[in-house]
Amino acid sequence: MVWLALFFRCGGAALIALALDGSAASAARLDHALQLAGPRSPLSGFVHAAAALALLRWIYVTNRNAHALGSGLRLTPAGSVAWFFVPVASWFKPYQGLADVWRITMLPEAKAGVAAPRQLRWLWGLWLGYRCCETLALHMHRGGWVPPFVIGAFFEINVLAIVTGALFSLLATRVIARLSARQREALAALSDAVFPSNDFTA
Protein backbone atom coordinates (compact mmCIF):
# COMPACT_ATOMS: atom_id res chain seq x y z
CA MET A 1 0.00 0.00 0.00
CA VAL A 2 2.91 2.36 0.68
CA TRP A 3 4.30 1.77 -2.79
CA LEU A 4 0.84 2.06 -4.36
CA ALA A 5 0.39 5.48 -2.76
CA LEU A 6 3.80 6.54 -4.07
CA PHE A 7 3.04 5.34 -7.61
CA PHE A 8 -0.21 7.26 -7.52
CA ARG A 9 1.71 10.35 -6.35
CA CYS A 10 4.12 9.98 -9.27
CA GLY A 11 1.23 9.65 -11.70
CA GLY A 12 -0.39 12.79 -10.33
CA ALA A 13 2.86 14.76 -10.66
CA ALA A 14 3.26 13.51 -14.24
CA LEU A 15 -0.24 14.72 -15.13
CA ILE A 16 0.53 18.10 -13.60
CA ALA A 17 3.84 18.31 -15.51
CA LEU A 18 2.12 17.51 -18.82
CA ALA A 19 -0.46 20.24 -18.15
CA LEU A 20 2.18 22.93 -17.54
CA ASP A 21 3.26 23.60 -21.12
CA GLY A 22 2.42 27.30 -21.24
CA SER A 23 -0.39 26.96 -23.79
CA ALA A 24 -3.86 28.45 -23.51
CA ALA A 25 -5.29 25.04 -22.69
CA SER A 26 -2.76 24.51 -19.91
CA ALA A 27 -5.02 25.86 -17.14
CA ALA A 28 -7.90 23.58 -18.15
CA ARG A 29 -5.64 20.53 -18.31
CA LEU A 30 -4.12 21.40 -14.96
CA ASP A 31 -7.57 21.69 -13.41
CA HIS A 32 -8.48 18.26 -14.82
CA ALA A 33 -5.23 16.74 -13.53
CA LEU A 34 -5.83 18.17 -10.07
CA GLN A 35 -9.39 16.85 -9.98
CA LEU A 36 -8.12 13.39 -10.91
CA ALA A 37 -4.96 13.09 -8.82
CA GLY A 38 -4.47 16.33 -6.89
CA PRO A 39 -3.95 16.43 -3.11
CA ARG A 40 -7.67 17.03 -2.52
CA SER A 41 -9.08 14.60 -5.09
CA PRO A 42 -11.27 11.73 -3.76
CA LEU A 43 -9.10 9.11 -5.46
CA SER A 44 -5.92 10.56 -3.95
CA GLY A 45 -7.57 10.66 -0.54
CA PHE A 46 -8.66 7.02 -0.81
CA VAL A 47 -5.24 5.71 -1.88
CA HIS A 48 -3.37 7.62 0.81
CA ALA A 49 -5.92 6.68 3.49
CA ALA A 50 -5.56 2.99 2.58
CA ALA A 51 -1.77 3.22 2.81
CA ALA A 52 -1.99 5.06 6.13
CA LEU A 53 -4.37 2.46 7.57
CA ALA A 54 -2.06 -0.37 6.48
CA LEU A 55 0.94 1.32 8.13
CA LEU A 56 -0.96 2.12 11.32
CA ARG A 57 -2.18 -1.47 11.57
CA TRP A 58 1.39 -2.72 11.22
CA ILE A 59 2.57 -0.28 13.91
CA TYR A 60 -0.22 -1.45 16.24
CA VAL A 61 0.52 -5.16 15.73
CA THR A 62 4.28 -4.66 16.01
CA ASN A 63 3.89 -2.75 19.28
CA ARG A 64 1.54 -5.43 20.62
CA ASN A 65 4.09 -8.12 19.74
CA ALA A 66 6.83 -6.15 21.48
CA HIS A 67 4.74 -6.05 24.67
CA ALA A 68 4.52 -9.84 24.48
CA LEU A 69 8.31 -10.04 24.29
CA GLY A 70 9.05 -7.84 27.31
CA SER A 71 8.24 -4.77 29.36
CA GLY A 72 9.44 -1.19 29.50
CA LEU A 73 7.80 0.23 26.39
CA ARG A 74 6.70 3.85 26.71
CA LEU A 75 3.64 3.45 24.48
CA THR A 76 0.77 0.98 24.44
CA PRO A 77 -0.33 -0.52 21.10
CA ALA A 78 -3.25 1.90 20.96
CA GLY A 79 -1.02 4.79 22.04
CA SER A 80 1.52 4.05 19.29
CA VAL A 81 -1.27 4.78 16.79
CA ALA A 82 -3.11 7.54 18.67
CA TRP A 83 -0.03 9.80 18.98
CA PHE A 84 0.03 10.20 15.20
CA PHE A 85 -3.12 12.31 15.53
CA VAL A 86 -1.94 14.60 18.34
CA PRO A 87 -0.62 17.99 17.16
CA VAL A 88 3.07 18.68 17.88
CA ALA A 89 3.50 15.37 19.73
CA SER A 90 2.99 13.51 16.44
CA TRP A 91 6.40 14.78 15.38
CA PHE A 92 8.30 12.77 18.01
CA LYS A 93 6.10 10.47 20.14
CA PRO A 94 5.48 7.80 17.46
CA TYR A 95 9.23 7.64 16.84
CA GLN A 96 9.84 6.97 20.54
CA GLY A 97 7.38 4.08 20.38
CA LEU A 98 8.98 2.65 17.25
CA ALA A 99 12.47 2.94 18.76
CA ASP A 100 11.31 1.05 21.88
CA VAL A 101 9.76 -1.65 19.71
CA TRP A 102 13.03 -2.00 17.79
CA ARG A 103 15.11 -2.35 20.98
CA ILE A 104 12.92 -4.94 22.66
CA THR A 105 12.48 -6.91 19.44
CA MET A 106 16.18 -7.10 18.65
CA LEU A 107 17.30 -8.01 22.18
CA PRO A 108 14.40 -8.63 24.60
CA GLU A 109 16.66 -9.65 27.48
CA ALA A 110 18.88 -6.55 27.32
CA LYS A 111 16.91 -3.89 25.49
CA ALA A 112 18.67 -1.02 27.30
CA GLY A 113 21.88 -1.91 25.49
CA VAL A 114 20.33 -1.69 22.03
CA ALA A 115 20.44 1.67 20.27
CA ALA A 116 17.93 2.65 17.63
CA PRO A 117 19.70 2.19 14.28
CA ARG A 118 20.51 5.02 11.92
CA GLN A 119 18.05 3.70 9.35
CA LEU A 120 15.21 4.18 11.84
CA ARG A 121 16.18 7.83 12.34
CA TRP A 122 16.43 8.32 8.59
CA LEU A 123 13.04 6.67 8.16
CA TRP A 124 11.45 9.10 10.60
CA GLY A 125 13.21 12.09 9.05
CA LEU A 126 11.93 11.13 5.60
CA TRP A 127 8.43 10.68 6.98
CA LEU A 128 8.50 14.19 8.46
CA GLY A 129 9.85 15.58 5.19
CA TYR A 130 7.09 13.90 3.23
CA ARG A 131 4.48 15.26 5.64
CA CYS A 132 5.82 18.78 5.19
CA CYS A 133 5.63 18.47 1.39
CA GLU A 134 2.07 17.13 1.56
CA THR A 135 0.99 19.91 3.92
CA LEU A 136 2.46 22.59 1.65
CA ALA A 137 0.81 21.04 -1.42
CA LEU A 138 -2.56 21.00 0.34
CA HIS A 139 -2.23 24.66 1.33
CA MET A 140 -1.33 25.61 -2.24
CA HIS A 141 -4.26 23.61 -3.61
CA ARG A 142 -6.87 26.05 -2.32
CA GLY A 143 -10.52 25.34 -2.93
CA GLY A 144 -9.73 22.60 -5.42
CA TRP A 145 -7.42 24.68 -7.63
CA VAL A 146 -3.89 26.10 -7.59
CA PRO A 147 -3.44 29.89 -7.86
CA PRO A 148 -1.40 30.78 -10.98
CA PHE A 149 1.33 32.53 -9.01
CA VAL A 150 2.24 29.34 -7.10
CA ILE A 151 1.89 26.76 -9.89
CA GLY A 152 5.67 26.48 -10.37
CA ALA A 153 6.30 26.05 -6.66
CA PHE A 154 3.40 23.59 -6.45
CA PHE A 155 5.02 21.36 -9.07
CA GLU A 156 8.40 21.54 -7.33
CA ILE A 157 6.80 20.58 -4.02
CA ASN A 158 5.18 17.60 -5.73
CA VAL A 159 8.55 16.50 -7.13
CA LEU A 160 10.14 16.84 -3.68
CA ALA A 161 7.29 14.80 -2.22
CA ILE A 162 7.98 12.06 -4.76
CA VAL A 163 11.69 11.98 -3.89
CA THR A 164 11.14 11.88 -0.12
CA GLY A 165 8.24 9.44 -0.58
CA ALA A 166 10.36 7.09 -2.69
CA LEU A 167 13.19 7.07 -0.16
CA PHE A 168 10.71 6.61 2.69
CA SER A 169 8.97 3.73 0.90
CA LEU A 170 12.27 1.98 0.18
CA LEU A 171 13.51 2.32 3.76
CA ALA A 172 10.10 1.47 5.25
CA THR A 173 10.02 -1.74 3.22
CA ARG A 174 13.39 -2.77 4.66
CA VAL A 175 12.51 -1.84 8.25
CA ILE A 176 9.10 -3.53 8.11
CA ALA A 177 10.57 -6.72 6.65
CA ARG A 178 13.44 -6.89 9.15
CA LEU A 179 11.38 -6.03 12.22
CA SER A 180 8.54 -8.37 11.30
CA ALA A 181 10.89 -11.26 10.59
CA ARG A 182 12.74 -10.72 13.87
CA GLN A 183 9.49 -10.59 15.82
CA ARG A 184 8.30 -13.85 14.29
CA GLU A 185 11.56 -15.49 15.35
CA ALA A 186 11.44 -14.03 18.86
CA LEU A 187 7.79 -14.94 19.40
CA ALA A 188 8.40 -18.48 18.13
CA ALA A 189 11.33 -18.85 20.55
CA LEU A 190 9.19 -17.51 23.39
CA SER A 191 6.40 -19.93 22.54
CA ASP A 192 8.82 -22.87 22.52
CA ALA A 193 10.18 -21.79 25.90
CA VAL A 194 6.70 -21.59 27.45
CA PHE A 195 5.28 -24.62 25.71
CA PRO A 196 8.17 -26.97 24.91
CA SER A 197 7.34 -29.54 22.30
CA ASN A 198 7.46 -33.22 23.26
CA ASP A 199 8.10 -36.11 20.93
CA PHE A 200 5.71 -38.99 21.28
CA THR A 201 6.39 -42.35 19.74
CA ALA A 202 3.84 -45.08 19.26
Side-chain angles (χ1 to χ4, degrees), residues 93-116:
K93 288 295 288 185
Y95 172 77
Q96 290 178 353
L98 192 58
D100 286 348
V101 167
W102 182 280
R103 293 187 189 98
I104 203 166
T105 298
M106 294 304 164
L107 199 60
E109 63 276 9
K111 56 183 179 296
V114 179

Side-chain angles (χ1 to χ4, degrees), residues 1-11 44 46-59 84 123 126-127 130 134 161-177:
M1 290 307 302
V2 170
W3 282 103
L4 177 61
L6 178 64
F7 290 148
F8 184 85
R9 199 77 175 81
C10 292
S44 176
F46 173 78
V47 172
H48 283 81
L53 286 174
L55 270 177
L56 290 175
R57 182 186 180 279
W58 177 80
I59 289 171
F84 276 95
L123 179 69
L126 289 168
W127 164 247
Y130 182 75
E134 287 290 290
I162 290 173
V163 173
T164 56
L167 293 173
F168 169 79
S169 300
L170 180 62
L171 201 51
T173 303
R174 294 184 61 183
V175 169
I176 288 171

Side-chain angles (χ1 to χ4, degrees), residues 109-199:
E109 63 276 9
K111 56 183 179 296
V114 179
R118 184 179 302 174
Q119 62 180 335
L120 208 59
R121 295 192 292 272
W122 273 102
L123 179 69
W124 190 248
L126 289 168
W127 164 247
L128 295 180
Y130 182 75
R131 279 185 61 187
C132 288
C133 292
E134 287 290 290
T135 301
L136 286 172
L138 283 171
H139 281 297
M140 290 179 177
H141 190 203
R142 302 171 186 171
W145 68 289
V146 179
F149 62 90
V150 296
I151 284 180
F154 179 74
F155 177 68
E156 291 171 0
I157 290 294
N158 274 272
V159 172
L160 188 57
I162 290 173
V163 173
T164 56
L167 293 173
F168 169 79
S169 300
L170 180 62
L171 201 51
T173 303
R174 294 184 61 183
V175 169
I176 288 171
R178 183 178 177 187
L179 204 52
S180 297
R182 175 58 187 153
Q183 282 197 345
R184 284 193 293 269
E185 294 173 0
L187 288 171
L190 180 64
S191 177
D192 289 342
V194 176
F195 304 105
S197 60
N198 295 313
D199 294 328

Side-chain angles (χ1 to χ4, degrees), residues 14-97:
L15 287 174
I16 293 169
L18 291 173
L20 299 175
D21 61 0
S23 66
S26 178
R29 285 200 301 270
L30 177 61
D31 183 61
H32 178 71
L34 292 172
Q35 290 179 12
L36 180 64
R40 297 184 187 275
S41 72
L43 185 56
S44 176
F46 173 78
V47 172
H48 283 81
L53 286 174
L55 270 177
L56 290 175
R57 182 186 180 279
W58 177 80
I59 289 171
Y60 178 90
V61 172
T62 304
N63 187 284
R64 184 190 63 192
N65 291 343
H67 276 277
L69 292 172
S71 60
L73 282 84
R74 285 173 280 189
L75 302 182
T76 64
S80 66
V81 172
W83 280 112
F84 276 95
F85 303 95
V86 179
V88 182
S90 64
W91 290 79
F92 62 91
K93 288 295 288 185
Y95 172 77
Q96 290 178 353

